[in-house]
Amino acid sequence: MPHPPTSGADVARRPSAASARTPGSTAVAYVWCALAMSVVGSSFVASAALSDYPVFGGQAVRYAVAALCLLAVLRWRRVPFVLPSPRQAGRLTALAATGLTGFSAFVVLATRHADPSLIGAVVGATPVVLAVTQAVRERRLAARTLAAAVVVTLGVAVVEGLGSADPLGLALAVGALACEAAFSLLAVPLLPTLGPLRVSAYACCAAVPQLVALGLLAPGPFLAVPEAGELVALAYLSVVLTAVAFLLWYGGLARLGAARAGLFAGLMPVAALATSLALGAETATPQAVVGSIVVASGLAIGLAPGPSRRRRDELG
């Protein structure tokens, strides 16, 4: 599988924006986004192994290890270090505070007041949020993309089911949704100049001190000696989920834009279900099968090339 673009220099070497939208390039971006969201979904099983481990300390370790891996890749690929401008540094800090630190905090707190299925259904509205936000930014409504986002979101709700929550739990779930959307929206302006590799590495670096501060303020121990299963889970979350999936996601996001890439968020609960089925932890239900089909239908609607997109690809 080809590597995602890794630097601002790599982006600058592309002949034009149109060439980045050639059919082959778009198909590769689809694969990257699908793989990234599938990894995120399958990681829920690994996350369950850390249910008794200190939350913020574990997340701080995860992002610290991921940052070291990404910085090592930067050095290995001889990608020059670029000092972010003050504006870029502020955006990276906000990206880490929302999409990484904030999302983790909201999800952890929400589980104390809401069923996981309800949290998953609320966060599953990410495609709609991204599609609407892009439409507002561009002052142009891509009706088919928005319709596809609604279909994908409905499919996620069917897969997840609707659990219960008190008002605080619902508010925290909405906060997690906002942070999940910010993970993509705040990255979009950074990708053309910094590239997916730098954005991923810098965001992980920025998240570590934030999580350390939260962990030291939270009650209970900040860190603990992990058991064997916890150590494996931390390694998987650090390397595969964070370092690899971040690169894949931001590589695809740079080529597709937030609205189209966001449709792939619907694969998260489907991948989680598939992983559970493969491990024998769950059994397939008609509801889950129907929901997965609805998600696939939404992706087909949103990603199928229409007349205008085909013309752009031909011109590219």
Side-chain angles (χ1 to χ4, degrees):
M1 183 180 68
H3 294 289
T6 58
S7 70
D10 293 334
V11 175
R13 282 196 292 270
R14 295 178 202 155
S16 66
S19 65
R21 290 194 296 266
T22 59
S25 172
T26 300
V28 169
Y30 288 167
V31 172
W32 287 345
C33 288
L35 284 175
M37 290 297 101
S38 297
V39 168
V40 173
S42 64
S43 71
F44 293 159
V45 177
S47 298
L50 297 172
S51 58
D52 296 327
Y53 195 79
V55 175
F56 295 114
Q59 294 295 314
V61 169
R62 164 192 168 184
Y63 286 116
V65 172
L68 290 174
C69 292
L70 291 166
L71 292 172
V73 174
L74 274 169
R75 182 174 179 81
W76 173 62
R77 299 187 68 173
R78 297 182 180 178
V79 177
F81 179 81
V82 174
L83 185 66
S85 67
R87 185 180 182 85
Q88 290 173 330
R91 188 174 289 272
L92 283 165
T93 301
L95 169 59
T98 54
L100 282 65
T101 304
F103 181 79
S104 300
F106 274 117
V107 169
V108 170
L109 294 173
T111 56
R112 301 173 184 174
H113 300 272
D115 292 339
S117 57
L118 184 136
I119 300 171
V122 172
V123 175
T126 300
V128 173
V129 175
L130 295 178
V132 170
T133 303
Q134 183 162 314
V136 171
R137 280 183 171 180
E138 298 179 356
R139 298 181 181 179
R140 178 178 59 87
L141 177 63
R144 190 174 65 166
T145 301
L146 181 57
V150 172
V151 173
V152 168
T153 299
L154 290 175
V156 171
V158 173
V159 173
E160 294 282 1
L162 295 177
S164 60
D166 61 27
L168 178 57
L170 182 59
L172 291 168
V174 172
L177 166 62
C179 289
E180 178 66 15
F183 178 73
S184 296
L185 294 173
L186 289 172
V188 169
L190 296 168
L191 293 170
T193 51
L194 294 179
L197 183 52
R198 290 196 190 96
V199 171
S200 300
Y202 294 174
C204 288
C205 289
V208 174
Q210 296 173 0
L211 286 160
V212 170
L214 282 175
L216 294 176
L217 292 173
F222 173 64
L223 281 175
V225 178
E227 299 177 354
E230 293 172 335
L231 185 60
V232 171
L234 282 171
Y236 179 82
L237 294 176
S238 301
V239 179
V240 180
L241 173 59
T242 307
V244 175
F246 276 27
L247 280 177
L248 291 171
W249 179 251
Y250 283 148
L253 180 67
R255 298 184 180 208
L256 300 178
R260 273 202 291 167
L263 295 174
F264 288 94
L267 292 178
M268 283 191 289
V270 177
L273 175 64
T275 303
S276 295
L277 291 175
L279 296 176
E282 291 186 56
T283 56
T285 64
Q287 174 181 321
V289 173
V290 170
S292 299
I293 293 173
V294 174
V295 169
S297 301
L299 285 170
I301 293 170
L303 302 181
S308 60
R309 191 180 299 166
R310 279 198 295 268
R311 283 197 295 271
R312 286 199 304 268
D313 290 340
E314 289 168 1
L315 291 173

